[in-house]
Amino acid sequence: MIEKSAPCKIQFFSEQTNQLYSLMPTRRAPTMLISGIPMHRIKDTEPHTDTLEKIKTIAPITGYVLDTATGLGYTAIQAAQTAEHVTTIELDPAALEVARLNPWSQSLFENLKITQVIGDSSEEIKKFGANTFARIIHDPPMFNLAGDLYSGEFYRHLFRVLQPRGRLFHYIGDLESKSGRVVTKGVMRRLQETGFKRVSPRPAAFGVIAFK
Ligand SMILES: C[S@@+](CC[C@H](N)C(=O)[O-])C[C@H]1O[C@@H](n2cnc3c(N)ncnc32)[C@H](O)[C@@H]1O
């Protein structure tokens, strides 16, 4: 007789951030919930398509890439398909525990082109030299959960570590929603004040792009 093991929920509580991280199935790639909030788009799409939309905005992905928020590693994994190297930063080890058990995240742990850093992006970014990265994927949690990652000070570091003519994708959320419009306006203004050029919305990817 073949014994079937009962399905079990993948979830971890983080004492570091006091958040519950769990894996939530969709019709394709799963998303991660942080205290109930999905970290990828799941309405009228699913996380894999969402990832491709983000990456497409700053294609071709070449050279050294910085991914400021690892999560399930989908953006890092996708970028590593064409990049020379990807450095990806995650604040909470609990998120990586979830990723370890997610079949869609396995390349994050296997692809030698990906370097994982555990830490706060707003601190870790200070350790990179100027003009290091050809592309930056900035996919933070929503504004009210991670304000530091939307600040002028953080953008100045993004600008510093980006190579001349390098490209940034900054995820924001639905640009057309009431709160999205307000956040987008502030993000675009601060990016321009920092020195970024050709700052423009990419509504299909729920974010904006900018060039150095
Ligand atoms: C929207 S998810 C990223 C999704 C990821 N790009 C992917 O493809 O799966 C945001 C992630 O950023 C992490 N995070 C939050 N604050 C951070 C910080 N200050 N530095 C680095 N990571 C952070 C969260 O724990 C979460 O895993």
Side-chain angles (χ1 to χ4, degrees):
M1 200 174 95
I2 298 167
E3 272 191 31
K4 282 190 188 158
S5 53
C8 67
K9 223 173 171 161
I10 293 176
Q11 59 178 30
F12 293 88
F13 178 74
S14 167
E15 306 228 327
Q16 186 178 320
T17 53
N18 257 335
Q19 308 264 22
L20 184 68
Y21 292 76
S22 56
L23 201 60
M24 183 189 133
T26 74
R27 67 184 159 81
R28 213 167 170 202
T31 186
M32 180 169 66
L33 302 180
I34 303 186
S35 298
I37 300 172
M39 289 294 114
H40 306 88
R41 290 173 60 196
I42 48 174
K43 188 170 172 265
D44 304 328
T45 184
E46 51 73 44
H48 181 64
T49 309
D50 174 41
T51 302
L52 297 180
E53 287 288 354
K54 291 169 185 166
I55 295 292
K56 204 165 71 179
T57 63
I58 52 168
I61 303 278
T62 52
Y64 280 66
V65 176
L66 175 64
D67 176 53
T68 61
T70 311
L72 289 180
Y74 294 162
T75 43
I77 291 168
Q78 194 61 39
Q81 291 206 350
T82 52
E84 212 169 306
H85 187 267
V86 178
T87 301
T88 181
I89 309 173
E90 171 56 52
L91 177 68
D92 201 328
L96 300 177
E97 293 297 313
V98 173
R100 256 187 205 289
L101 296 174
N102 176 19
W104 287 76
S105 300
Q106 290 316 296
S107 290
L108 180 63
F109 305 99
E110 291 162 5
N111 189 334
L112 299 177
K113 282 205 281 182
I114 303 178
T115 298
Q116 289 186 44
V117 176
I118 299 181
D120 183 338
S121 273
S122 59
E123 291 302 320
E124 296 297 328
I125 199 160
K126 297 175 187 168
K127 301 178 186 168
F128 300 116
N131 308 328
T132 301
F133 299 102
R135 300 285 183 272
I136 299 178
I137 302 155
H138 184 39
D139 184 15
M142 56 210 262
F143 178 74
N144 54 358
L145 295 179
D148 282 3
L149 301 181
Y150 293 74
S151 68
E153 194 196 340
F154 186 67
Y155 293 170
R156 281 190 285 284
H157 281 291
L158 291 179
F159 189 78
R160 184 182 62 77
V161 302
L162 189 62
Q163 291 167 359
R165 293 183 297 284
R167 303 176 190 186
L168 163 76
F169 169 73
H170 185 330
Y171 182 86
I172 294 173
D174 184 359
L175 306 187
E176 318 286 325
S177 74
K178 205 173 157 196
S179 62
R181 275 199 293 268
V182 176
V183 176
T184 304
K185 205 172 152 199
V187 165
M188 291 180 70
R189 179 179 47 76
R190 287 191 297 284
L191 288 174
Q192 278 155 352
E193 284 169 359
T194 303
F196 282 100
K197 290 178 282 202
R198 293 158 63 196
V199 180
S200 52
R202 287 292 179 271
F206 276 29
V208 301
I209 60 163
F211 290 71
K212 178 164 172 183

